[in-house]
């Protein structure tokens, strides 16, 4: 398993959406790879948070909110990047 190319598989694994053979293969890898284990934990944490949101926050008209959401995402991503200066 190549870690850099498996984000989709890790997400499917975290959601228990893989077939049994693939689940065993990914489970074995995740137990041996701390980076992928961290990714799976992050995906599961995100899923748990989303499941806890009220339907009205997830459904409905997102059109007017996309610019604000994009700006918030960029600010959060920039805050995680160490200052290169």
């Amino acid at each position: 398993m190549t870690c850099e190319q498996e984000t989709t598989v890790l997400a499917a694994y975290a959601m228990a959406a893989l077939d049994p053979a693939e689940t065993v293969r990914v489970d074995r890898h995740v137990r041996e790879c701390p980076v992928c284990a961290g990714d799976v934990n992050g995906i599961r944490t995100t899923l748990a948070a989303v499941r806890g949101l009220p339907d009205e926050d997830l459904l409905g008209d997102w059109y007017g909110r996309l610019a604000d959401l994009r700006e918030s995402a960029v600010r959060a991503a920039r805050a995680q990047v160490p200052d290169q200066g």
Side-chain angles (χ1 to χ4, degrees):
M1 182 170 194
T2 305
C3 298
E4 297 84 15
Q5 298 175 5
E6 297 295 335
T7 304
T8 303
V9 173
L10 291 175
Y13 171 78
M15 293 184 280
L18 297 176
D19 66 62
E22 186 75 355
T23 298
V24 169
R25 183 182 75 80
V26 175
D27 186 60
R28 186 178 308 124
H29 174 78
V30 168
R31 285 193 233 177
E32 296 172 0
C33 179
V35 172
C36 287
D39 288 347
V40 168
N41 287 335
I43 292 166
R44 287 179 175 155
T45 299
T46 301
L47 289 171
V50 168
R51 286 183 187 114
L53 292 172
D55 286 347
E56 48 280 356
D57 286 349
L58 297 173
L59 305 173
D61 182 16
W62 282 65
Y63 181 77
R65 297 172 52 192
L66 290 179
D68 291 337
L69 291 169
R70 184 182 64 233
E71 183 176 334
S72 295
V74 169
R75 288 180 189 278
R78 289 182 51 93
Q80 293 178 2
V81 176
D83 187 8
Q84 301 294 322

